[in-house]
Amino acid sequence: MTALTVTDIRAMKAAGRRIAAVTAYDHPSALLADAAGLDLILVGDSLGTAVQGLANTLPVTMDQMIYHTAMVARAARRALVVGDMPFMSYQSSVEAAVANGGRFLSEGGAAAVKLEGGHEGALARIRALVEAGIPVMGHVGLTPQSVHAMGGYRVQGKREADAERIVREARDLEAAGAFAVVLEGIPEKLAKQVTEALSIPTIGIGAGVHCDGQVLVWHDLLGLSEGHRPKFVKPYARLAATIRRALRAYAREVADGTFPGPDHTYH
Ligand code: KIV
């Protein structure tokens, strides 16, 4: 089986084929996502909130991202693996962006990186990364690494001026060489406008159905995360409940001495 490339992902838009993406953070999850036919696996810095139990993504480090990206990349046969550049791995300078972006490919085994923002600073970093042979996926709208600047996790682009800025940023990302753009937390109508304005694919999360593809966080998609569920999340399974049931059954059988039984014992 041949792995999808960034060229294949770009071509899917022209062919009218929607891109199915999911985040993953470890080898067994990535094996399942790849075998299920997902087109793109994002090793998101949502690692912080989904896996590490953090309140936001800001403390996630480059070494942690490389560690998890390598596990995912070892599993992917078909899906394009994209590593998410964590907070302060690219903001400080163009040189830092290229050095850290390069690590995702050379140490992590990813085929591309993602970074947040569509302002001039982000564009300069994307141009340098692309020039260095590192494909980049952009990310505009709700950008979690700017949680403090945004005043919380809020839907972006509701006001006309903000909507115009997001369209402009997405266009600039394409011009800077991005092969795709994540649209997060924006109204459906704005996502449609951006999608129609670009020749590269848009991949939405909380951005409605008109994007060229969708991405969901692994734990949200599979019902592994409980508690508050954002409106845009659709759990396709209820694995937390399934796992809880299995663990309770195991604990019960250990306590009452029915596990291990004869079938699970060397005689
Ligand atoms: O970190 C992440 O998982 C992401 C997706 C939500 C797009 O950036």
Side-chain angles (χ1 to χ4, degrees):
M1 187 180 294
T2 54
L4 293 176
T5 65
V6 293
T7 313
D8 297 322
I9 296 293
R10 280 186 73 142
M12 286 176 75
K13 176 165 183 150
R17 288 170 52 210
R18 290 177 189 255
I19 299 154
V22 67
T23 70
Y25 314 95
D26 59 42
H27 191 263
S29 308
L31 280 176
L32 291 169
D34 195 64
L38 274 292
D39 302 305
L40 187 152
I41 303 177
L42 172 67
V43 189
D45 66 350
S46 50
L47 172 74
T49 46
V51 175
Q52 295 177 326
L54 297 169
N56 59 50
T57 59
L58 303 184
V60 174
T61 68
M62 265 305 293
D63 285 346
Q64 291 165 355
M65 288 304 302
I66 296 298
Y67 177 73
H68 286 274
T69 302
M71 290 187 225
V72 168
R74 279 195 288 274
R77 294 282 166 273
R78 176 182 174 274
L80 182 84
V81 175
V82 180
D84 203 5
M85 298 192 69
F87 184 56
M88 292 318 292
S89 69
Y90 59 95
Q91 285 90 342
S92 60
S93 69
V94 169
E95 290 72 24
V98 174
N100 286 319
R103 285 189 65 195
F104 274 97
L105 272 59
S106 61
E107 296 175 45
V113 299
K114 175 174 84 59
L115 60 82
E116 296 181 7
H119 46 79
E120 186 42 48
L123 300 175
R125 283 146 184 79
I126 291 171
R127 281 192 285 267
L129 283 160
V130 171
E131 212 165 279
I134 303 166
V136 183
M137 182 156 80
H139 183 161
V140 292
L142 194 169
T143 46
Q145 290 176 16
S146 305
V147 57
H148 296 305
M150 291 183 304
Y153 298 107
R154 299 168 191 282
V155 173
Q156 302 291 302
K158 283 184 174 172
R159 287 182 314 185
E160 205 174 317
D162 291 334
E164 282 169 10
R165 174 182 50 78
I166 289 168
V167 176
R168 196 171 53 246
E169 287 178 346
R171 279 211 177 100
D172 290 347
L173 287 170
E174 173 165 4
F179 74 89
V181 182
V182 169
L183 303 180
E184 179 167 356
I186 62 172
E188 174 184 47
K189 191 166 152 234
L190 174 57
K192 183 170 189 284
Q193 192 186 341
V194 173
T195 300
E196 287 170 358
L198 302 189
S199 62
I200 56 172
T202 58
I203 300 185
I205 174 162
V209 76
H210 301 295
C211 300
D212 298 303
Q214 299 291 328
V215 59
L216 279 177
V217 167
W218 181 262
H219 298 70
D220 293 340
L221 190 159
L222 294 170
L224 281 163
S225 47
E226 295 181 305
H228 171 70
R229 185 191 320 137
K231 181 176 182 180
F232 64 84
V233 169
K234 177 176 175 183
Y236 283 81
R238 303 278 176 185
L239 292 195
T242 305
I243 291 170
R244 227 180 356 254
R245 261 196 312 277
L247 292 172
R248 282 201 194 113
Y250 166 69
R252 206 168 40 242
E253 291 192 6
V254 170
D256 67 18
T258 52
F259 177 84
D263 288 351
H264 303 104
T265 300
Y266 299 110
H267 300 287

